[in-house]
Amino acid sequence: MSHLFDVYPIYDIEPVKAQGSYLWDQNGTKYLDLYGGHAVISVGHCHPYYVDMLTKQLNAISFYSNSVKISLQEELAEKLGELSGYPDYKLFLCNSGAEANENALKLASFHNGRKKVISFTKSFHGRTAGAVAATDNASIVAPVNYKEHVTFLPFNDVQAAESGITDEVCAVIVEGIQGVGGINVSSDEFLQTLRRKCDETGAVLILDSVQCGYGRTGKFFSHQFSGIDPDIISMAKGMGNGFPIGGILISPKFKASYGMLGTTFGGNHLACAAGVAVLDIMKDENLLDNAAEIGDYLLKGIEEIGGYKELRGRGLMIGIEYDFPVKDLRNKLLFDYKMFTGVAGANTIRLLPSLALGKEEADQFLEALKKETSVAI
């Protein structure tokens, strides 16, 4: 009998080895990883530079609290600011995307003294109290999770944003591209409207970049396609390539004070070593350009195959929606073609591979998709 609390549907596959864009199970079967464990694997599995950085750090010191100087935090902040295009923003480190959004909302409320939050339909911001209250999924909001302060507006609805964001609003939280909600891309006009309305009302604009950030779209953050600067940017997932780390980038308009935010494990030595390694690899191997190039290659290939209802996404964050449930298609890809993919809802295949994915791997997927969707159609 299992002693684990049974909250995850689990495939009977156990990866025991990984390299680049591939996994091997306990039987030696090789799988192409096009999902990266929910967009976490950003620079490829077991990258030698990443492994070396963590190994050296583990042999030196793995943890001490934020009561002492940790120079790796400063190195991470500097390199993140440079590569992301936000050198004047400050960094607060935590452990996960939910914590990042939790701290973003808390900081916003400290800043303007308000508590009303605007979120959007099909949003997902995490499972902790403040983050889950702003998530549009009633099934994961427990009675203890206070949510009366949150208003959900229609996603990508400019008129609703114009009327719904008032001077009572503390924060507006939005994903640049909705991940769990189905790879729904925020339009330029929508994000620009949110920025303008927040400026007019004093509300804080939070861009949840936990899934759509860290180079996945071909720009460091997906909102950069729209030419706006948020007040707070939350991130996690690809930030550590599998090591738990999250954070928020904070506009210079916010003033810090001792005790305002805090964390035990956030910014620990190992997490920062992982974070620095990821940024170094992204820069040295031009992975933002690769994400844009291979993403375009995949999107064009999927367009040529056709048979879908709607194709959405940017770079290596792709959603393929069909007019039929995709459970069988996903299982075919996994068990017949040995490819990990994800889903969003019942009808959408979700692709979130490593930013280092190559054309050879992309072609493997396109060939399998062509065979299976022609049968399904």
Side-chain angles (χ1 to χ4, degrees), residues 15-261:
V16 296
K17 176 185 172 184
Q19 187 68 52
S21 292
Y22 293 95
L23 303 164
W24 288 262
D25 69 14
Q26 69 273 30
N27 301 313
T29 304
K30 183 180 180 180
Y31 295 84
L32 175 60
D33 186 7
L34 297 170
Y35 195 57
H38 304 306
V40 167
I41 301 301
S42 50
V43 298
H45 292 281
C46 296
H47 191 290
Y49 180 79
Y50 175 86
V51 172
D52 186 56
M53 282 276 289
L54 279 168
T55 301
K56 287 179 178 176
Q57 189 59 53
L58 187 60
N59 284 322
I61 178 173
S62 61
F63 176 82
Y64 206 75
S65 76
N66 286 300
S67 61
V68 299
K69 181 177 179 179
I70 302 174
S71 59
L72 276 168
Q73 293 181 352
E74 295 292 340
E75 183 180 357
L76 176 58
E78 183 177 349
K79 289 182 173 179
L80 175 58
E82 177 190 353
L83 195 59
S84 70
Y86 286 97
D88 58 337
Y89 278 45
K90 302 299 183 183
L91 176 63
F92 175 79
L93 291 163
C94 54
N95 309 286
S96 67
E99 288 176 73
N101 285 326
E102 200 81 26
N103 281 289
L105 290 164
K106 188 175 183 180
L107 183 58
S109 188
F110 274 135
H111 177 71
N112 57 27
R114 306 173 188 174
K115 65 179 181 179
K116 184 174 180 180
V117 172
I118 297 293
S119 187
F120 298 92
T121 53
K122 296 188 177 181
S123 63
F124 186 93
H125 298 294
R127 293 175 180 268
T128 53
V132 80
T135 292
D136 187 23
N137 183 350
S139 69
I140 64 170
V141 181
V144 74
N145 297 132
Y146 174 80
K147 62 181 186 297
E148 285 72 18
H149 62 300
V150 180
T151 298
F152 291 94
L153 299 180
F155 180 73
N156 262 344
D157 188 324
V158 171
Q159 289 186 338
E162 289 277 10
S163 59
I165 302 172
T166 69
D167 58 11
E168 296 180 347
V169 172
C170 165
V172 176
I173 184 167
V174 64
E175 296 158 89
I177 301 178
Q178 292 184 329
V180 175
I183 315 297
N184 304 307
V185 182
S186 294
S187 72
D188 293 345
E189 184 184 10
F190 179 59
L191 289 184
Q192 290 162 7
T193 299
L194 299 186
R195 177 68 278 173
R196 176 173 53 79
K197 289 297 295 183
C198 286
D199 288 338
E200 291 173 359
T201 62
V204 172
L205 180 59
I206 302 168
L207 257 293
D208 180 342
S209 299
V210 169
Q211 190 170 131
C212 62
Y214 252 77
R216 179 150 297 282
T217 60
K219 289 187 180 293
F220 201 92
F221 295 118
S222 64
H223 63 258
Q224 290 171 315
F225 285 97
S226 302
I228 65 156
D229 291 328
D231 298 311
I232 305 175
I233 305 165
S234 60
M235 58 207 145
K237 291 195 182 292
M239 191 175 184
N241 199 52
F243 198 98
I245 182 172
I248 51 176
L249 280 173
I250 304 162
S251 162
K253 72 169 64 174
F254 295 89
K255 303 303 178 186
S257 63
Y258 291 151
M260 174 183 279
L261 304 176

Side-chain angles (χ1 to χ4, degrees), residues 329 332-333 336-337 368-377:
L329 173 58
K332 279 272 189 181
L333 290 168
D336 293 357
Y337 297 92
L369 184 69
K370 184 176 183 178
K371 288 179 181 177
E372 287 307 314
T373 55
S374 64
V375 171
I377 293 166

